């Protein structure tokens, strides 16, 4: 796409300056000023060209890993999922009370955790998040606490107890970290989001029970964008709410239903590097994708156990143009992680080419010389 109006102006300025030019004659100053203007406008026309419009975003089934069971690489109700900087995949294996690690191809690597209430043990864990150093944070939901492990799965510390006070939880379902390691927890039954520092110290909270802006009815998934805005899957209100980094309400989108941009029991949520929002629309058996303003883009999934179908999807992760979805199909024996390719680049930002700066500078120099020349005439 080019700025056609600039091209039209360029064409209108591209006149014949020969001796046969019909009157009125142009002065030397006017002649050179038009030439400089033509140079600048032509440069603008060329350099302000924006890259061609991107193809529509789409999701395509790629592969899967996992099955129902308790052996390495098997799952009993897979829940939270997160990736490290090397694309290793960490999956919360809730029914087996453990976290499993896989390589980027889905090959089993390691595991940690057992059933119980001690340090490093779990009781129905759900969400998971990693910091920039590879440390692992797990929401130990039924024990109302968050546990931290190093990148090898060695227990580091825990915080949180049962209750409704600051720093207490009632079924913390999901967890997300910002760029400096602050921890945000979806405190589901307390209908709020709590913020902690990297050491687990309480910082702030926002949200109350209800259906108004900034209120929640069983918040579930939580994700942050690159500038710290917070997106919350407001589960039983069937909407996504957006807050700034301080917890101030910004926007809400979504209603109950089966149409595009509508939800029925939305759970996990994830963002890609351009701010597109991926939502686990559980009872509609699909993943929906919205842009950062909440506009519907695309979806994938139907009810079933085939490739690209879902039985009970819950959590999502996005990295390197791939979407990872945990699908809990304990009854059908199909507990698994499905992987989808994401195609269709985000719109390219307005790009000022270096040629623009050079062209503008050149035109400015010419104009300055012309003005000086005019004074001498």
């Amino acid at each position: 796409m080019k700025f056609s109006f600039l091209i039209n102006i360029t064409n209108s300025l591209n006149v014949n300056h020969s001796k046969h030019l019909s009157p009125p004659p142009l002065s030397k100053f006017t002649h050179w000023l038009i030439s400089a203007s033509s140079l600048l406008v032509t440069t603008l026309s060329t350099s302000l060209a924006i890259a061609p419009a991107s193809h529509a975003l789409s999701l395509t089934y790629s592969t899967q890993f996992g099955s129902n069971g308790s052996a390495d690489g098997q799952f009993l109700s897979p829940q939270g999922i997160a990736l490290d900087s090397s694309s290793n995949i960490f999956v919360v294996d809730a029914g087996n009370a453990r976290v499993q690690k896989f390589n980027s191809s889905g090959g089993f690597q390691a595991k940690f955790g057992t059933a119980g209430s001690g340090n490093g043990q779990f009781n129905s864990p759900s969400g998971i998040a990693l910091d920039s150093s590879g440390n692992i944070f797990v929401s130990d939901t039924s024990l109302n606490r968050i546990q931290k492990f190093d990148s090898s799965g060695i227990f580091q510390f825990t915080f949180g107890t049962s209750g409704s006070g600051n720093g207490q939880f009632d079924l913390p379902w999901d967890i997300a970290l910002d760029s400096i390691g602050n921890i945000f927890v979806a405190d589901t039954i307390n209908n709020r989001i709590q913020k902690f520092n990297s050491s687990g110290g309480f910082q702030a909270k926002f949200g109350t029970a209800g259906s108004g802006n900034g209120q929640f009815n069983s918040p579930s998934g939580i994700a942050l964008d690159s500038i710290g805005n917070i997106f919350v899957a407001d589960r039983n209100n069937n909407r996504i709410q957006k807050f700034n980094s301080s917890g101030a309400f910004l926007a809400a989108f979504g209603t109950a239903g089966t149409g595009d941009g509508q939800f029925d029991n939305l759970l996990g949520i994830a963002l890609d590097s351009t701010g597109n929002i991926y939502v686990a629309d559980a009872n509609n058996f699909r993943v929906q994708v919205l842009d950062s303003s909440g506009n519907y883009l695309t979806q994938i999934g139907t009810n079933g156990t085939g490739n690209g179908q879902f039985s009970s999807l819950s959590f999502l992760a996005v990295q390197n143009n791939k979407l990872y979805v945990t699908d809990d199909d304990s009854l059908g024996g199909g507990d698994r992680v499905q992987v989808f390719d994401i195609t269709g680049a985000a719109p390219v930002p307005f790009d000022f080419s270096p040629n623009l700066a050079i062209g503008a500078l050149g035109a400015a120099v010419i104009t300055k010389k012309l003005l000086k020349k005019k004074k001498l005439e």
Side-chain angles (χ1 to χ4, degrees), residues 141-321:
T141 304
S142 292
L143 292 175
N144 292 302
R145 64 182 181 179
I146 305 300
Q147 295 198 69
K148 178 183 177 180
F149 303 84
D150 68 16
S151 58
S152 299
I154 305 302
F155 173 82
Q156 301 293 295
F157 64 79
T158 184
F159 63 93
T161 58
S162 298
S164 58
N166 293 341
Q168 294 185 310
F169 303 114
D170 193 349
L171 297 185
W173 201 77
D174 199 11
I175 184 170
L177 276 66
D178 67 15
S179 60
I180 59 174
N182 291 313
I183 306 160
F184 295 80
V185 182
D187 188 8
T188 301
I189 304 303
N190 285 323
N191 289 300
R192 63 186 181 182
I193 304 299
Q194 293 197 70
K195 176 184 178 181
F196 302 84
N197 63 26
S198 59
S199 300
F202 174 80
Q203 300 270 284
K205 63 184 178 183
F206 60 91
T208 57
S211 58
N213 292 339
Q215 295 185 308
F216 300 113
N217 187 348
S218 298
S220 51
I222 183 169
L224 277 67
D225 67 15
S226 59
I227 60 173
N229 292 315
I230 306 160
F231 294 78
V232 181
D234 190 6
R235 181 175 183 174
N236 291 332
N237 283 325
N238 290 297
R239 64 183 179 179
I240 304 293
Q241 293 198 69
K242 178 181 179 180
F243 303 84
N244 67 17
S245 59
S246 299
F249 173 82
L250 296 176
F253 32 89
T255 57
T258 59
D260 295 345
Q262 295 184 309
F263 305 109
D264 186 359
N265 190 29
L266 70 168
L267 294 175
I269 184 173
L271 275 64
D272 65 21
S273 59
T274 62
N276 293 320
I277 308 161
Y278 299 72
V279 184
D281 187 11
N283 287 356
N284 286 323
F285 304 101
R286 63 186 179 181
V287 173
Q288 293 199 68
V289 188
L290 313 175
D291 68 18
S292 59
S293 299
N295 300 305
Y296 172 84
L297 295 177
T298 190
Q299 63 180 280
I300 194 167
T302 56
N303 186 15
T305 57
N307 295 342
Q309 295 184 309
F310 301 110
S311 183
S312 183
L313 72 163
S314 52
F315 283 83
L316 313 171
V318 176
Q319 186 167 297
N320 297 331
N321 293 320

Side-chain angles (χ1 to χ4, degrees), residues 16-31:
N16 181 6
H17 303 309
S18 71
K19 63 181 180 179
H20 302 294
L21 182 69
S22 57
L26 297 173
S27 68
K28 292 180 180 180
F29 173 75
T30 305
H31 175 88

